[in-house]
Structures are given as structure tokens and as C-alpha cells.
Amino acid sequence: MSYRAIDLRFSNSILFARFVSPLIDNNVVDEFHRAIEDYEHAATAIVIEGTDEAFCLGVDLRISPESEGFPIDSLALYELWERLAFGHFITITHVKGRANAGGIGFVASSDIAICDAEAEFGLSELLFGLLPACVLPFLIRRVGLQKANFLALTTLPICADEAAAYGLVDISSGNSGAVLQRQLTRLRRLTKESIGRYKAFSAELDDRVIQHKHFAVKSSSDAFRAERTLSGLRRYVERGLFPWEAEDQR
């Protein structure tokens, strides 16, 4: 079957997956799940990339007036990040441009995160009355509770150097493509068996992601159902106005 929401390339045991659009919808989630099913038997690593301008900006929040819940399947998205975190392959995110909201979920669920020196990272959900509930278990696992708390509450983006200092990314470089290739040269020497054993072992060391799955999904969906949140999101999508902005401010 063809892939339209993500571009795939398989080379020398490495699967490269690139977002076609920087926004996450059900097609993106479904195709990532299908790509894992199609290639996990052969891939030792999955490299996830975006464009030079944006890695991933989060869930597509364009909603209909009849919307009664989160615009995508939150459980399927959470389980995708779970597969990236614990699957028997190495997950690598290569970030250029902006990574925001749900895009941070892909970064936080990866084994190795590499970014360009101009990359930017943020959690903007609280600005719109939403919660980064599904992202937080993965983010806390990667950077710790207080740094995750700071990113969620301030909603301010951080630069590549700050992301590296937080531990959100492992390497920040002005030549991130070369860094990625150097890492892949080494990673190609690892066997599927050794990677599988290691990922299974590491999953047992920290199972908070699995423990909090249903609570995170429910919390995310509940926040989205609030009428004030829905009206604010429609206003932002239709007129580009943040919830606190008056109609005549732009």
C-alpha cells in the first residue's frame, strides 16, 4: 500500500520517514503504525525527519462545529509514541526548524534526538486551554519532571542549545546531517537481536509511559471538550486570533 502522509525510504537496514505536512492527523498516525509493521522485521533504526522549516508542529486543530472530541485518535497517537520508545529498533529524530506540541512527543519518545543549531522546541497547549497530557509521560521520561513542567507551564519555545542542556535532544549541531550520518555508520553495526534485547531491558527499567497511558489520553480528550477551548480554537484557526486577543487587535 502507498504512503501519502509520510515519505519513506529504506536503505541498508535504516528506515527514513519524513513528514509530508508538519501537522499530525489520523493519516499520519495510521501510516506511521503501518510503516512500523511493514519494516520493523528488517529495520535496525527508524529516522524521523521533517522539512528544514518545521519538524512537526503538533496535531491539526482544524475542527468542525460538530466536533465532540479530540480531532485525532489520541490513543493511537500515544501508542505510536509507545512503539517508537519501546520497539525493537532504534528511533532517531532529526529536527530542523520548529518542533511544537505533539512534535515534542516524537522527539521525547525517540532513543536518540539530533537537531540543527537553528531548531526550536515548545509546548503551546496551555495557551489554548489544552493539556500536553499525552506528551508529558514521554517528556518526563526524557528530561525529568521539573523541566517538563517548566516547558508546559511557560509555553515559551526554547532554542537548540537549551534543548540540549535540558536533555530533550542529545546532540545539537550546525551540521546535523553529518552528525546523523556518523551515528548511523556506527548503529548499522548493531544486530536486530542485540537491539531487541536492549530495548526490552530498558522498557522494564522505566514503565511510567505504560502505566499512565489511559489517564493521559482521557485527560487530553477531556480538556479538548470544554466549550471555551473549542470556541477559542475555532477562532484561532479561522481568524488567527489567540484566545486573549480582541477581534480588532489585528
Side-chain angles (χ1 to χ4, degrees):
M1 294 177 67
S2 63
Y3 290 84
R4 297 181 180 179
I6 55 177
D7 286 329
L8 294 183
R9 176 170 62 89
F10 186 72
S11 175
N12 296 327
S13 80
I14 309 296
L15 178 64
F16 295 85
R18 184 183 299 273
F19 293 102
V20 172
S21 163
L23 297 176
I24 306 168
D25 61 16
N26 281 325
N27 290 328
V28 170
V29 176
D30 291 345
E31 289 190 13
F32 263 108
H33 275 294
R34 180 150 49 86
I36 292 172
E37 291 162 7
D38 288 348
Y39 289 95
E40 66 180 337
H41 68 285
T44 56
I46 298 177
V47 178
I48 302 174
E49 299 178 295
T51 66
D52 289 348
E53 293 74 33
F55 171 73
C56 177
L57 301 180
V59 171
D60 187 349
L61 294 175
R62 289 173 290 188
I63 50 179
S64 69
E66 297 77 25
S67 178
E68 295 182 354
F70 205 61
I72 69 167
D73 185 338
S74 299
L75 180 59
L77 178 58
Y78 194 101
E79 290 180 341
L80 170 59
W81 293 336
E82 200 174 9
R83 293 178 83 173
L84 295 175
F86 302 129
H88 289 188
F89 46 80
I90 301 164
T91 303
I92 305 168
T93 45
H94 179 206
V95 179
K96 293 184 177 182
R98 292 176 61 205
N100 183 63
I104 301 298
F106 283 90
V107 178
S109 62
S110 63
D111 299 300
I112 299 171
I114 299 168
C115 78
D116 183 82
E118 302 302 317
E120 189 176 85
F121 304 81
L123 289 176
S124 60
E125 286 90 340
L126 283 176
L127 291 174
F128 300 95
L130 300 172
L131 294 178
C134 290
V135 174
L136 278 175
F138 298 91
L139 185 59
I140 291 169
R141 181 173 178 259
R142 181 170 258 278
V143 305
L145 177 59
Q146 183 52 40
K147 288 185 174 64
N149 186 54
F150 179 81
L151 288 171
L153 289 176
T154 64
T155 72
L156 291 170
I158 61 173
C159 69
D161 286 344
E162 290 174 303
Y166 278 35
L168 178 57
V169 297
D170 301 295
I171 304 173
S172 169
S173 171
N175 192 354
S176 59
V179 171
L180 173 62
Q181 291 306 315
R182 187 161 62 247
Q183 296 295 321
L184 292 178
T185 297
R186 192 73 172 186
L187 293 175
R188 283 190 176 99
R189 298 180 181 274
L190 304 183
T191 65
K192 284 288 294 180
E193 291 76 17
S194 62
I195 292 169
R197 281 195 295 270
Y198 177 79
K199 293 293 291 282
F201 174 75
S202 65
E204 288 294 325
L205 293 179
D206 186 353
D207 64 352
R208 78 185 72 186
V209 165
I210 298 169
Q211 287 182 358
H212 298 311
K213 175 165 60 178
H214 294 289
F215 176 58
V217 170
K218 182 180 185 301
S219 298
S220 180
S221 298
D222 287 349
F224 190 85
R225 289 191 181 96
E227 182 53 41
R228 184 173 180 178
T229 298
L230 287 172
S231 62
L233 287 172
R234 293 191 187 102
R235 192 165 166 267
Y236 177 75
V237 169
E238 293 168 3
R239 298 193 287 279
L241 293 171
F242 287 102
W244 60 87
E245 291 183 308
E247 291 290 340
D248 58 355
Q249 279 190 245
R250 292 192 181 185

